[in-house]
């Protein structure tokens, strides 16, 4: 019987499942962050591209076209601010998930230590039981040899 008790293994599995779940959540958030970064880059490029022709041809542009360009640029800046806010919020959420990941890893390590400790105790008990049986057998053989 050199096995750890099933309860510790169940708790270890539960801790590992929780750790895996949080790692998956963290991966999803990282993908979302990457998507937001790409959106920000795209908006910044679009804004820069849109500003260049306006400066180059501003003398020939009509009042209506100039106002449309300014309105569109303002909309791009609004979208850029929204993406920046989303990135900031995502960073806060990521920090919280990282903390949960650290705690889940601590819990998993604690459960692994308990499994290892219980297994070592079971092995020790089995070795002691085996030694007792060997001692009893030795005494029995000695007694049988002495009486003959």
């Amino acid at each position: 019987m050199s096995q750890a008790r099933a309860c510790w293994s169940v708790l270890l599995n539960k801790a590992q499942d929780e750790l895996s779940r949080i790692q998956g959540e963290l991966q999803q958030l990282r993908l979302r962050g990457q998507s937001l970064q790409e959106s920000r880059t795209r908006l910044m490029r679009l804004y820069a591209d849109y500003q260049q022709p306006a400066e180059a041809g501003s003398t020939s542009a009509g009042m209506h076209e100039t106002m449309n360009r300014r309105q569109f640029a303002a909309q791009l800046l609004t979208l850029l601010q929204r993406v920046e806010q989303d990135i900031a919020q995502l960073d806060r959420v990521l920090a919280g998930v990282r903390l949960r990941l650290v705690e889940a890893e601590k819990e998993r390590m604690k459960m692994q230590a308990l499994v290892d400790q219980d297994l070592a105790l079971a092995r020790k008990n089995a070795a002691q039981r085996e030694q007792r049986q060997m001692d009893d057998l030795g005494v029995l053989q000695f007694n049988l040899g002495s009486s003959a």
Side-chain angles (χ1 to χ4, degrees):
M1 182 177 133
S2 60
Q3 277 195 109
R5 288 179 278 182
C7 63
W8 299 124
S9 298
V10 169
L11 290 173
L12 176 61
N13 289 339
K14 185 176 177 184
Q16 287 173 335
D17 290 345
E18 179 68 9
L19 185 64
S20 296
R21 189 187 63 74
I22 292 172
Q23 287 172 336
E25 184 179 342
L26 189 61
Q27 182 62 28
Q28 290 289 333
L29 289 171
R30 285 183 181 146
L31 290 174
R32 172 79 173 127
Q34 186 178 4
S35 172
L36 286 171
Q37 292 290 349
E38 291 168 0
S39 294
R40 177 171 60 177
T41 302
R42 212 173 25 255
L43 285 170
M44 290 173 73
R45 192 176 324 123
L46 186 59
Y47 182 76
D49 290 347
Y50 203 78
Q51 289 299 313
Q52 280 180 336
E55 293 168 2
S58 63
T59 56
S60 65
M63 182 98 148
H64 185 67
E65 187 179 332
T66 303
M67 287 184 62
N68 284 343
R69 284 186 171 279
R70 286 184 183 164
Q71 185 179 9
F72 185 69
Q75 289 173 346
L76 286 175
L77 287 177
T78 301
L79 286 173
L80 192 57
Q81 287 175 340
R82 176 64 184 165
V83 169
E84 294 287 345
Q85 289 172 352
D86 289 349
I87 289 172
Q89 181 182 7
L90 182 68
D91 287 342
R92 288 188 297 274
V93 171
L94 275 170
V97 171
R98 284 186 188 112
L99 285 175
R100 287 184 20 234
L101 183 67
V102 168
E103 291 301 316
E105 179 62 23
K106 284 180 185 177
E107 186 68 17
R108 188 201 62 79
M109 289 172 56
K110 183 171 69 173
M111 291 302 127
Q112 183 64 53
L114 288 170
V115 167
D116 294 344
Q117 183 181 17
D118 194 51
L119 187 57
L121 182 62
R123 287 180 181 152
K124 179 182 172 189
N125 288 341
Q128 286 176 343
R129 192 170 39 256
E130 187 177 321
Q131 185 61 46
R132 250 185 272 122
Q133 289 173 349
M134 293 297 287
D135 290 345
D136 290 345
L137 185 61
V139 168
L140 183 64
Q141 285 180 341
F142 178 77
N143 287 341
L144 287 176
S146 297
S147 64

